[in-house]
């Protein structure tokens, strides 16, 4: 079927303007370039309004004829069609704006601030206008003020007139047709709002009155005419309204609400065969992608795009939608949009309804019959609807009332709902809360009442951030995981209350992701920080805390579920801390260097760009970090302390590194709305609290050689570089080996270790009246094992240098056994006891208890450690 046979619009245009189809076969057969479109529209600007309106319609109809001709001949791709329709609309808006601005300025003068922008929404904003589409716009001016005269008007009146006139020139239906159907109902306050508003009023509206559906309207917003920079600046200010920093599962409820209203409209008007809003239509595909954009756009800026295909591509790149699902959605979307365009090509009407007789439509699309087209259509729409149901988590409601609910659980839920705080909630939030509590009743009844109390404590923190209520309501599997975890761990409860966004970790929980390599953890943090403005330290610390808390939370959940062993837990927590310290050190260094320039590196340091390293002691150095462990840090530098930095505001090198270190500590200990990263202890530096905050490498060596106490050498057994300059780190590792391998007088060493242990036990061990066994500090506990291992390493590293290699207790015990310094039986027994103690200590932390157990629970381990202490540590 020929295009002119199918399209009545094209037939009428050819008969009137191109009987021989000479223009169609020549200029009309090739898609126009953007510059050609702009030039042709700008040529109309200086005409009279009557001429402008007439010529604009003639130009639009000619462009439309070419579009339809190429579409039906299969010349233009989908991208070609929407490009030309969008660029034509933009050019028409710009031309009409320019034309009417000149006329109004002659009457009223120039505004004191003439900046004015037209924001395109929907298909126009997304650069994907269909063949016969509305253009959704709203207009904004920079600020209130007045025109210069002769007839003075305030900006509100002036720009409202401008908006009315430019829209009328495009929208009014004349004998020549129309240019664009202009729809301004999506502006702030809708049809009752001003046609043009100042930027500040627009920002206030969305901050105070913005509704969920308006986030969908703004999703594709972009400036399309006028002062484009003004529009871009405004949209940047609206990003917090549009894209949330947390995972915004409330969008599912909003989409279901919108979709149900559309479906009701479809049923009411018999539009079940509408390729846009009908079952499995274009709108459902768009909803899938838009939901994912709003859901994750705050965390993944690359999703903050206006075009459907761009957004879908990003969803596949970010693995939010699988490649197979994404490619199928794209294929189905393009097919449905092609059907839409062919339907509209018939009469240049804004319709997506299938005709009563689909024979001509099927023929022009290349189908043998209307039946074969209908089979294809149903195949596509069934597939789209199935995807929509899956992505939107649309579930058939079950008879929740039939489920059994314990009386005590129901009483707690009722009391919670009757609380005045819940009573004052916005209707949407209260509705979400009621839905969630109805779902939780039977589920909580399977657990002790403590779990109900913990869950309600969490919910009470979320009532004004009802997106989390939607997340739980939308995800039964997440609820089940959460209840199971709350039953086992009050520590997890507290972390969730502090940072509800951790629910995302439960949503995406996968045992295959239980462990990450040290490199993967560092790369993940680096990737997140790439999205942070380097001049925004507050946001930096927030991202760091979210990262550290989120990963530690995941580790805790996997540990509670028995999917990751203790030693791997410690590795994960240690590597998280290392990644954080490394990033903070480099950030602080850059911050100080940007202000004062770089310090002079000692000539002995070679090609060294940093000259600053961090030694981790204790749990961090020994790769035995637990939840909430402090960071024992010593900062070491290799720069010339007296030389000035090379910046414009130069300072001494010693002051430079001191400022870097103090900035590191300040950033790590900064309180954010999510808590702080870690507590830092720097008392293990040379001379303790009275010593310098950062020490030179040579000074550290001199101190350890000549002045260090035995307990400081014990601490050095577990020390290792965890961040900073690689070259300097290598020197520190060498220094550690040299110090630990020094000869020591055995009796003096033994007496010093025992004396220090007795002091610690007296200060930190159990007192009269304490109940149970302190796993860490009591006789026969964790610290006794650590002291025995440290003593053995210091006593034998001179003759067995390999003992100084590792910093963790388990491998140190292996080394002592392999070297023959202790028996294999004793080493294995101590390792078993040590792991048992640490496992119990982790369980206590996760359960919200102190590290105490019943004596009988560790009777064998305690007797073993006490027996070995008596053998090894008696002079």
């Amino acid at each position: 079927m020929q295009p002119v046979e199918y399209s009545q619009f094209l037939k009428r245009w050819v008969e009137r303007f191109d009987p021989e189809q000479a223009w169609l076969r020549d200029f009309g057969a090739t898609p126009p370039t953007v510059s050609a479109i702009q030039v042709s529209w700008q040529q109309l600007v200086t005409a009279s309004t009557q001429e402008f309106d007439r010529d604009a319609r003639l130009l639009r109809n000619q462009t439309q004829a070419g579009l339809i001709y190429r579409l039906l001949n299969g010349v233009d791709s989908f991208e070609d069609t929407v490009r030309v329709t969008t660029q034509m609309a933009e050019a028409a808006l710009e031309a009409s704006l320019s034309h009417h601005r000149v006329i109004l300025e002659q009457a009223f003068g120039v505004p004191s601030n003439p900046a004015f922008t037209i924001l395109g929404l929907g298909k126009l904003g997304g650069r994907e206008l269909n063949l016969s589409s509305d253009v959704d716009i709203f207009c904004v001016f920079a600020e209130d003020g007045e025109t210069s005269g002769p007839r003075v008007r305030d900006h509100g009146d002036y720009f409202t007139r401008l908006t009315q006139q430019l829209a009328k020139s495009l929208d009014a239906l004349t004998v020549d047709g129309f240019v664009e159907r202009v729809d301004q109902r999506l502006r702030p306050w809708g049809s009752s709002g001003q046609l043009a508003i100042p930027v500040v009023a627009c920002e206030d509206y969305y901050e105070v009155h913005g509704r969920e559906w308006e986030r969908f309207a703004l999703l594709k917003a972009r400036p399309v005419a006028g002062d484009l920079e003004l529009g871009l600046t405004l949209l940047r200010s609206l990003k917090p309204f549009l894209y949330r920093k947390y995972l915004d599962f409330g969008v599912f409820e909003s989409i279901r609400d919108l979709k149900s209203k559309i479906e009701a409209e479809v049923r009411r008007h018999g539009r079940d065969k509408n390729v846009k809003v009908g079952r499995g239509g274009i709108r459902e595909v768009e909803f899938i992608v838009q939901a994912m954009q709003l859901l994750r756009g705050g965390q993944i800026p690359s999703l903050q795009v206006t075009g459907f295909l761009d957004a879908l591509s990003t969803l596949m790149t970010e693995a939010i939608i699988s490649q197979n699902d994404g490619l199928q959605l794209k294929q189905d979307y393009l097919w449905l949009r092609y059907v839409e365009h062919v339907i509209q090509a018939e009469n240049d009407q804004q319709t997506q309804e299938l005709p009563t007789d689909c024979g001509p439509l099927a023929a022009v699309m290349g189908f043998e019959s209307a039946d074969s087209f209908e089979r294809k259509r149903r195949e596509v729409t069934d597939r789209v609807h199935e995807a929509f149901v899956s992505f939107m988590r649309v579930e058939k409601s079950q008879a929740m009332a039939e489920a059994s609910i314990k009386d005590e659980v129901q009483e707690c839920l009722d009391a919670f709902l009757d609380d005045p705080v819940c009573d004052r909630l916005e209707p949407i939030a209260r509705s979400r809360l009621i839905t969630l509590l109805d779902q939780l009743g039977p589920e909580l009844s399977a657990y002790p009442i403590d779990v109900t109390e913990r869950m309600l404590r969490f919910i009470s923190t979320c009532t004004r951030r009802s997106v989390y209520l939607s997340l739980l309501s939308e995800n039964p599997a997440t609820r089940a995981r959460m209840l199971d975890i709350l039953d086992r761990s009050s520590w997890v409860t507290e972390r969730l209350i502090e940072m509800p966004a951790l629910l995302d970790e439960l949503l995406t929980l996968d045992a295959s992701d239980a462990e990450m390599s040290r490199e993967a953890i560092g790369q993940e943090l680096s990737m997140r920080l790439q999205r942070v403005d380097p001049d925004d330290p507050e946001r930096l610390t927030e991202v760091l805390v979210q990262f550290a808390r989120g990963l530690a939370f995941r580790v805790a959940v996997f540990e509670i579920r028995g999917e990751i062993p203790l030693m791997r837990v410690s590795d994960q927590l240690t590597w998280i801390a290392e990644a954080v310290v490394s990033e903070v050190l480099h950030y602080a260094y850059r911050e100080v260097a940007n202000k004062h320039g770089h310090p002079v590196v000692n000539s002995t340091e070679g090609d060294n760009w940093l000259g600053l390293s961090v030694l981790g002691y204790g749990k961090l150095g020994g790769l035995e970090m637990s939840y909430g462990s402090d960071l024992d840090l010593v900062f070491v530098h290799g720069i010339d302390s007296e030389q000035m930095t090379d910046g414009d505001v130069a300072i001494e090198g010693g002051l430079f590194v001191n400022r870097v270190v103090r900035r590191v500590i300040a950033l790590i200990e900064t309180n954010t709305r999510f808590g702080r990263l870690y507590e830092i202890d720097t008392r293990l530096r040379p001379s303790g609290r009275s010593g310098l905050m950062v020490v030179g490498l040579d000074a550290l060596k001199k101190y350890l050689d000549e002045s260090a106490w035995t307990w400081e050498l014990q601490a050095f057994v577990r020390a290792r570089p965890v961040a900073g300059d690689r070259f300097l780190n290598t020197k520190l590792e060498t220094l550690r080996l040299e110090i630990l391998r020094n000869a020591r007088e055995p009796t003096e060493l033994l007496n010093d270790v025992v004396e220090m242990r007795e002091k610690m036990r007296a200060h930190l061990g159990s007192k009269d009246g304490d109940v149970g066994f302190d796993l860490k500090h009591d006789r026969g506990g964790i610290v006794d094992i650590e002291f025995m291992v440290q003593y053995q390493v210091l006593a034998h590293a001179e003759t067995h240098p390999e003992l100084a290699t590792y910093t963790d207790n388990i491998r140190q015990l292996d080394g002592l056994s392999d070297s023959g310094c202790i028996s294999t039986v004793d080493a294995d027994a101590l390792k078993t006891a040590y792991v048992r103690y640490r496992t119990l200590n982790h369980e206590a932390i996760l359960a919200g208890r102190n590290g105490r157990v019943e004596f009988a629970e560790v009777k064998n381990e305690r007797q073993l450690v006490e027996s070995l202490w008596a053998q090894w540590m008696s002079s």
Side-chain angles (χ1 to χ4, degrees):
M1 179 177 287
Q2 294 298 311
V4 176
E5 294 178 75
Y6 173 78
S7 173
Q8 297 305 303
F9 169 85
L10 187 60
K11 181 179 180 181
R12 290 191 298 271
W13 185 86
V14 165
E15 288 174 349
R16 183 178 177 187
F17 296 104
D18 194 23
E20 303 299 323
Q21 298 188 28
W23 183 87
L24 278 180
R25 294 193 178 105
D26 187 3
F27 295 103
T30 304
T33 64
V34 61
S35 60
I37 293 172
Q38 291 171 342
V39 167
S40 61
W41 281 92
Q42 282 300 308
Q43 289 173 347
L44 309 182
V45 169
T46 57
S48 68
T49 300
Q50 183 178 3
E51 291 172 335
F52 177 88
D53 290 354
R54 183 192 68 240
D55 292 347
R57 282 154 179 75
L58 296 177
L59 177 57
R60 180 265 179 192
N61 289 339
Q62 183 184 63
T63 305
Q64 192 76 351
L67 277 164
I68 293 173
Y69 180 78
R70 294 191 302 275
L71 170 77
L72 298 180
N73 272 322
V75 173
D76 280 4
S77 66
F78 167 77
E79 287 82 357
D80 291 328
T81 300
V82 298
R83 175 186 67 79
V84 173
T85 53
T86 300
Q87 290 171 353
M88 179 174 67
E90 292 174 359
L93 285 165
E94 188 67 56
S96 187
L97 171 61
S98 299
H99 171 79
H100 288 287
R101 186 188 281 272
V102 171
I103 295 171
L104 288 178
E105 286 180 357
Q106 290 171 350
F108 305 119
V110 178
S112 56
N113 186 337
F116 173 84
T117 189
I118 301 175
L119 294 176
L121 308 173
K123 294 284 195 295
L124 174 61
R127 296 184 174 89
E128 53 201 21
L129 278 177
N130 57 44
L131 199 62
S132 187
S133 178
D134 283 355
V135 292
D136 295 301
I137 64 169
F138 74 82
C139 299
V140 179
F141 56 91
E143 60 186 0
D144 288 322
E146 293 182 338
T147 62
S148 59
R151 295 155 58 195
V152 175
R153 292 289 186 273
D154 64 52
H155 283 182
D157 179 67
Y158 174 87
F159 287 115
T160 296
R161 290 171 184 259
L162 179 59
T163 301
Q164 289 171 329
Q165 294 303 317
L166 74 87
K168 181 181 178 182
S169 275
L170 303 180
D171 185 76
L173 185 62
T174 71
V175 293
D176 297 306
F178 63 94
V179 180
E180 300 289 350
R181 303 178 185 92
V182 179
D183 190 337
Q184 301 184 72
R185 291 174 297 174
L186 293 178
R187 67 186 184 272
W189 300 115
S191 299
S192 62
Q194 293 178 300
L195 286 175
I197 62 174
V199 165
V200 66
C202 185
E203 292 172 335
D204 289 347
Y205 172 81
Y206 287 110
E207 181 177 348
V208 178
H209 304 288
R211 290 157 290 180
E212 283 295 310
W213 69 263
E214 288 176 301
R215 295 176 62 205
F216 287 92
L218 283 180
L219 190 63
K220 293 179 177 295
R222 67 181 177 90
V224 295
D227 189 326
L228 301 186
E229 186 55 41
L230 174 66
L232 290 172
T233 301
L234 170 61
L235 291 176
R236 281 195 290 269
S237 74
L238 299 180
K239 283 286 178 68
F241 167 70
L242 184 56
Y243 296 106
R244 310 291 162 81
K245 290 182 180 179
Y246 48 80
L247 281 179
D248 188 5
F249 283 89
V251 298
F252 288 117
E253 185 173 329
S254 301
I255 287 179
R256 277 210 299 270
D257 182 53
L258 286 171
K259 188 67 172 69
S260 66
K261 291 176 181 176
I262 291 170
E263 287 173 344
E265 186 77 7
V266 168
R267 289 192 299 271
R268 206 161 35 242
H269 298 285
R271 301 170 68 188
D272 55 313
K273 287 193 175 182
N274 186 296
V275 297
K276 179 178 180 180
V277 299
R279 179 184 182 277
I282 295 166
R283 182 60 56 82
E284 289 191 357
V285 189
E286 292 172 337
F287 274 167
I288 291 170
V289 173
Q290 290 169 359
M292 295 301 173
Q293 282 184 272
L294 290 178
L295 179 67
R296 297 180 180 273
Q299 296 188 326
I300 305 175
S302 56
L303 282 173
Q304 298 176 15
V305 293
T306 60
F308 172 88
L309 293 177
D310 289 339
L312 179 58
S313 176
T314 302
L315 289 170
M316 291 189 286
T317 300
E318 296 286 345
I320 296 170
I321 293 179
S322 72
Q323 288 291 317
N324 287 341
D325 288 345
L327 292 173
Q328 187 64 65
L329 278 176
K330 178 179 180 180
Q331 179 180 325
D332 291 340
Y333 172 80
L334 292 176
W335 191 84
L336 289 169
R337 290 297 304 270
Y338 179 46
V339 174
E340 174 188 45
H341 284 162
V342 175
I343 292 172
Q344 293 175 347
E346 183 179 10
N347 278 303
D348 189 25
Q349 291 180 344
Q350 186 192 13
T351 179
Q352 289 88 14
E353 294 286 345
L354 289 171
T356 304
D357 178 10
C358 285
L361 174 67
V364 81
M365 290 186 65
F367 288 91
E368 293 181 358
S369 65
D371 288 343
S372 60
F373 165 79
E374 179 62 12
R375 284 194 296 272
K376 171 68 174 180
R377 186 188 73 83
R378 287 195 173 275
E379 175 189 325
V380 171
T381 55
D382 285 350
R383 192 162 51 232
V384 167
H385 187 66
E386 183 180 346
F388 176 78
V389 169
S390 173
F391 277 108
M392 295 300 106
R393 295 165 172 82
V394 178
E395 300 161 350
K396 296 298 181 183
S397 143
Q398 299 299 318
M400 296 292 296
E402 297 179 5
S404 174
I405 305 176
K406 288 181 181 177
D407 291 341
E408 58 181 351
V409 170
Q410 191 63 60
E411 288 173 7
C412 288
L413 299 180
D414 291 343
F416 183 81
L417 197 55
D418 290 339
D419 187 278
V421 173
C422 296
D423 222 21
R424 292 193 293 268
L425 292 176
E426 293 290 329
I428 290 178
R430 185 169 174 83
S431 172
R432 290 175 177 176
L433 176 62
I434 292 171
T435 299
L436 176 59
L437 295 183
D438 287 344
Q439 294 168 324
L440 282 170
E443 297 167 349
L444 287 167
S445 297
Y447 292 92
I449 194 64
D450 287 352
V451 177
T452 297
E453 294 168 355
R454 290 173 182 176
M455 175 59 89
L456 291 179
R457 279 190 63 213
F458 169 76
I459 292 174
S460 68
T461 68
C462 305
T463 50
R464 296 196 180 280
R465 291 175 289 182
S466 60
V467 60
Y468 298 121
L469 307 181
S470 291
L471 186 157
L472 286 171
S473 183
E474 297 283 350
N475 292 275
T478 301
R479 285 201 310 275
R481 290 190 188 114
M482 184 173 181
L483 294 178
D484 183 52
I485 297 301
L486 295 187
D487 183 36
R488 302 193 202 185
S489 174
S490 63
W491 183 90
V492 166
T493 305
E494 299 305 321
R495 301 294 80 74
L496 282 167
I497 289 170
E498 290 172 354
M499 192 170 152
L502 290 174
L503 273 181
D504 181 38
E505 303 297 339
L506 289 180
L507 181 77
T508 58
L509 205 61
D510 188 333
S512 64
D513 299 326
E515 298 180 47
M516 296 174 67
S517 68
R518 177 188 263 122
E519 292 73 21
I521 290 172
Q523 289 168 2
E524 171 69 16
L525 178 55
S526 179
M527 182 181 70
R528 294 196 193 187
L529 292 179
Q530 286 175 5
R531 304 169 186 164
V532 177
D533 183 342
D535 296 323
D536 189 353
E538 181 178 347
R539 179 60 183 150
L540 170 87
T541 51
E542 280 193 357
V543 171
L544 287 169
V545 172
Q546 287 177 294
F547 169 81
R549 293 277 177 109
L551 263 62
F553 180 85
R554 283 176 64 86
V555 172
V557 171
F558 286 124
E559 183 178 10
I560 290 167
R561 290 158 57 101
E563 293 170 343
I564 179 172
L566 171 72
M567 304 308 290
R568 299 298 188 195
V569 168
S570 295
D571 286 345
Q572 297 287 293
L573 297 176
T574 300
W575 296 339
I576 293 167
E578 288 179 5
V580 167
V581 172
S582 179
E583 290 290 351
V584 171
L585 176 66
H586 284 83
Y587 180 89
Y589 188 96
R590 286 194 300 270
E591 195 176 62
V592 179
N594 287 339
K595 184 180 293 185
H596 300 293
H598 292 79
V600 177
V601 178
N602 284 330
S603 58
T604 56
E605 297 299 313
D607 184 15
N608 186 315
W609 68 271
L610 195 62
L612 186 61
S613 290
V614 184
L615 276 175
Y617 283 68
K619 298 296 184 188
L620 177 60
L623 293 98
E624 294 175 354
M625 289 282 289
S626 184
Y627 310 103
S629 291
D630 291 351
L631 300 184
D632 294 305
L633 303 179
V634 171
F635 296 88
V636 184
H637 73 82
I639 61 103
D640 191 324
S641 300
E642 298 181 357
Q643 290 291 320
M644 305 298 285
T645 59
D646 60 7
D648 293 336
V649 185
I651 57 176
E652 291 181 347
L655 181 57
F656 176 92
V657 292
N658 190 63
R659 288 187 178 179
V660 172
V661 168
R662 291 190 181 280
R663 187 65 174 136
V664 168
I665 294 171
L667 288 168
I668 292 178
E669 292 190 332
T670 294
N671 277 315
T672 74
R673 59 197 173 108
F674 304 117
R676 62 170 60 185
L677 280 163
Y678 298 97
E679 298 286 346
I680 294 181
D681 190 339
T682 61
R683 290 174 296 176
L684 288 173
R685 67 186 186 270
S687 301
R689 286 193 178 95
S690 63
L692 295 172
M693 188 61 70
V694 55
V695 62
L697 178 65
D698 293 338
L700 176 63
K701 182 179 187 307
K702 179 177 176 63
Y703 180 84
L704 292 169
D705 274 333
E706 301 175 6
S707 307
W709 297 81
T710 298
W711 65 265
E712 291 178 298
L713 297 176
Q714 287 178 246
F716 207 52
V717 170
R718 289 162 67 80
R720 64 185 179 87
V722 296
D725 189 295
R726 291 184 181 180
F727 186 82
L728 185 56
N729 285 348
T730 301
K731 287 200 163 191
L732 286 167
E733 289 168 352
T734 302
L735 173 62
R736 177 180 173 275
L737 296 176
E738 291 175 359
I739 296 297
L740 296 185
R741 290 167 180 170
N742 285 341
R744 290 178 176 83
E745 201 285 311
T747 302
E748 181 182 349
L749 173 65
L750 179 60
N751 290 338
D752 286 348
V753 173
V754 171
E755 181 182 355
M756 177 54 67
R757 180 67 191 103
E758 291 300 332
K759 287 180 180 179
M760 286 183 62
R761 191 179 291 120
H763 181 60
L764 299 171
S766 294
K767 308 294 189 296
D768 291 342
D770 289 342
V771 178
F773 175 71
D774 186 316
L775 290 163
K776 185 173 182 180
H777 296 293
D778 277 356
R779 192 181 303 276
I782 290 173
V783 176
D784 278 2
I785 298 175
E786 292 173 344
F787 267 55
M788 284 193 287
V789 172
Q790 291 161 14
Y791 163 73
Q792 293 285 0
V793 171
L794 289 172
H796 299 292
E798 179 193 10
T799 53
H800 298 282
E802 69 277 10
L803 294 179
T805 303
Y806 298 111
T807 62
D808 61 287
N809 277 284
I810 298 300
R811 286 186 293 184
Q812 286 171 347
L813 281 166
D814 286 336
L816 290 168
S817 171
D818 293 342
S819 65
C821 296
I822 65 174
S823 71
T824 302
V825 172
D826 288 344
D828 289 344
L830 279 177
K831 285 192 295 183
T832 300
Y834 191 68
V835 172
R836 167 80 167 143
Y837 282 155
R838 292 195 60 227
T839 301
L840 290 171
N841 200 44
H842 271 226
E843 290 175 359
I845 292 170
L846 292 172
R849 306 189 311 266
N850 56 27
R852 289 183 175 273
V853 297
E854 295 291 334
F855 283 101
E857 194 171 355
V858 290
K859 176 182 177 182
N860 294 336
E861 290 84 0
R862 186 166 53 88
Q863 288 177 347
L864 166 76
V865 174
E866 289 183 4
S867 172
L868 289 176
W869 181 276
Q871 292 177 43
W872 296 356
M873 311 301 289
S874 298
S875 54

